[in-house]
């Protein structure tokens, strides 16, 4: 079954457009990674002083995801993750959540 890797981001008010542009312009390197299936950036509700976003990546397996985290493609995709623009937009670091699929319908 598939593995879903998600990162939750709390984006400060007024930084939403820039945050979305950053993701749209990034070099993801995902398409060339074995086991990659699908990526989505999700825009969630407004919370206490932030807008919630989540990156949502579907992998063939947990092993494929873990292999990606140790790859050159992962390092290249995250080379600017801690830059000033990212730090200014976020209320703290992203929160990772990983899920094993136990039931799937399509």
């Amino acid at each position: 079954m598939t593995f879903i890797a998600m990162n939750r981001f709390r984006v400060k008010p007024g930084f939403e457009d820039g945050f979305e542009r950053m993701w749209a312009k990034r070099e993801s390197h995902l398409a060339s990674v074995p086991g990659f299936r699908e990526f989505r950036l999700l825009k969630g509700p407004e919370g206490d002083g932030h807008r919630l976003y989540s990156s949502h990546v579907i992998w063939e397996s947990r092993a494929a995801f873990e292999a990606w985290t140790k790859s050159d493609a992962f390092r290249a995709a995250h080379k600017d993750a801690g830059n000033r623009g990212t730090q200014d937009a976020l209320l703290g670091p992203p929160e990772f959540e990983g899920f094993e699929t136990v039931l799937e319908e399509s």
Side-chain angles (χ1 to χ4, degrees):
M1 292 294 245
T2 58
F3 181 76
I4 298 175
M6 299 174 67
N7 276 298
R8 296 161 74 72
F9 301 89
R10 293 177 300 138
V11 177
K12 296 175 188 173
F15 286 86
E16 297 93 344
D17 289 342
F19 184 76
E20 292 174 24
R21 274 194 306 279
M22 176 193 65
W23 280 91
K25 292 180 179 182
R26 82 196 192 295
E27 294 180 40
S28 79
H29 303 274
L30 286 171
S32 64
V33 177
F36 167 74
R37 292 231 181 128
E38 181 179 313
F39 170 85
R40 293 177 190 223
L41 180 64
L42 308 174
K43 184 177 184 176
E46 291 183 19
D48 293 327
H50 69 275
R51 166 76 73 172
L52 182 63
Y53 283 83
S54 180
S55 62
H56 181 273
V57 187
I58 300 175
W59 293 93
E60 194 173 274
S61 64
R62 178 185 286 271
F65 165 73
E66 290 174 353
W68 173 71
T69 65
K70 298 171 183 141
S71 72
D72 289 338
F74 178 87
R75 285 185 286 286
H78 291 85
K79 69 180 178 351
D80 295 326
N83 71 23
R84 185 72 184 165
T86 303
Q87 290 177 6
D88 289 345
L90 299 178
L91 292 172
E95 296 175 32
F96 175 78
E97 298 174 314
F99 298 90
E100 300 275 354
T101 303
V102 295
L103 179 64
E104 187 172 317
E105 295 181 28
S106 52

